[in-house]
């Protein structure tokens, strides 16, 4: 189900934090998709492939790192917050055409979690699972190790809310936004790329922004 929320006007931007908290509360309790008629924050539009998504937070959120690694692990929010963080400011580009310029994301570099887990020599890719129970994504191991790929805990300088895919989501700065899986719950190192949810329906597996607008896979500033 698609939940499409249109951008806020100037008054909405001024009241952004309050509106975002109210919006998150409504979205969490709405299995109908009618929240798609509400204005969204910062120009974002919201998508979910399920009727509803459970809300997870400090008490019950976990992220597993497993697969072809020497040291499988399970991390809680406090564990992720305690690790060194990286901040990236970059345009968010949706494959459907909308863009939110200069959006800050902050979190743990995915490469740091992979290094801590000890990736095995036969690994070639990484698969991502989400606690909505349906969405998946994938990257090659080379893509996953880029400096501009984060396990993100903050967006627009606030903790990531439920409607934005929080408390933790993937952020793949140089690719279309469907690669930045929301509600991230698992990172599994694999021996081959496993196409994600939309890729099995025809989207590009290598989703570099740039085929139509002059951008490419250059490192994110």
């Amino acid at each position: 189900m698609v939940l499409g929320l249109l951008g806020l006007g100037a008054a909405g931007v001024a009241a952004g934090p309050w509106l975002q908290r109210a919006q998150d509360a409504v979205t969490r309790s709405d299995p109908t998709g009618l929240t798609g008629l509400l204005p969204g924050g910062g120009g974002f539009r919201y998508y979910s492939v399920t009727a509803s998504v459970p809300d997870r937070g400090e008490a019950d959120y976990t992220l597993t790192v497993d697969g072809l690694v020497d040291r499988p692990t399970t991390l809680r929010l406090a564990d992720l917050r305690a690790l060194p963080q990286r901040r990236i400011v970059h345009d968010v580009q949706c494959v459907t055409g909308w863009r939110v310029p200069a959006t800050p994301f902050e979190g743990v570099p995915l490469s740091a979690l992979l290094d801590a887990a000890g990736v095995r020599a036969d690994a070639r890719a990484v698969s991502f699972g989400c606690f909505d129970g349906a969405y998946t994504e994938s990257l090659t191991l080379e893509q996953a190790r880029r400096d501009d790929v984060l396990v993100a805990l903050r967006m627009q300088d606030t903790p990531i809310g439920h409607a934005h895919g929080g408390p933790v989501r993937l952020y793949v700065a140089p690719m279309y936004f469907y690669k930045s899986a929301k509600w991230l719950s698992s990172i599994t190192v694999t021996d081959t790329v496993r196409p994600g949810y939309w890729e099995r329906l025809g989207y590009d597996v290598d989703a570099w922004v740039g085929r139509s607008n002059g951008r490419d896979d250059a490192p994110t500033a």
Side-chain angles (χ1 to χ4, degrees), residues 8 13 52 116 122 140 143 149 153 162 169 175 182 220-221:
L8 284 171
V13 172
S52 63
D122 54 341
T140 67
Q143 292 165 356
V149 178
L153 289 81
H162 182 79
R169 69 176 296 159
M175 293 188 176
K182 296 190 289 188
T220 301

Side-chain angles (χ1 to χ4, degrees), residues 61 63 128-131 151 165 168-170 182-186:
Y61 177 79
L63 174 64
F128 305 93
C130 306
F131 63 79
V151 173
V168 178
R169 69 176 296 159
L170 187 65
K182 296 190 289 188
W183 306 301
L184 185 66
S185 62
S186 66

Side-chain angles (χ1 to χ4, degrees), residues 51-72:
S52 63
V53 181
D55 192 356
R56 294 190 181 176
E58 196 77 43
D60 57 358
Y61 177 79
T62 59
L63 174 64
T64 60
V65 183
D66 58 15
L68 299 177
V69 298
D70 295 326
R71 296 175 293 278

Side-chain angles (χ1 to χ4, degrees), residues 66-166:
D66 58 15
L68 299 177
V69 298
D70 295 326
R71 296 175 293 278
T73 189
T74 298
L75 300 159
R76 294 189 174 275
L77 277 176
D79 301 322
L80 291 168
R81 292 183 187 126
L83 295 171
Q85 309 286 302
R86 175 173 295 147
R87 187 174 187 267
I88 294 173
V89 180
H90 193 60
D91 292 359
V92 167
Q93 177 72 54
C94 181
V95 72
T96 60
W98 57 266
R99 177 185 296 175
V100 183
T103 303
F105 279 86
E106 187 174 349
V108 182
L110 177 58
S111 60
L113 296 183
L114 295 175
D115 289 345
V119 175
R120 297 181 185 174
D122 54 341
R124 296 292 181 271
V126 184
S127 181
F128 305 93
C130 306
F131 63 79
D132 68 346
Y135 201 80
T136 58
E137 252 310 331
S138 66
L139 294 169
T140 67
L141 189 57
E142 181 181 8
Q143 292 165 356
R145 288 192 178 281
R146 288 176 59 107
D147 289 340
D148 49 10
V149 178
L150 302 179
V151 173
L153 289 81
R154 295 174 63 83
M155 184 180 103
Q156 296 177 314
D157 297 319
T158 62
I160 299 177
H162 182 79
H164 282 296

Side-chain angles (χ1 to χ4, degrees), residues 161-181:
H162 182 79
H164 282 296
V168 178
R169 69 176 296 159
L170 187 65
Y171 178 54
V172 185
M175 293 188 176
Y176 286 109
F177 207 36
Y178 67 86
K179 299 294 289 189
S180 296

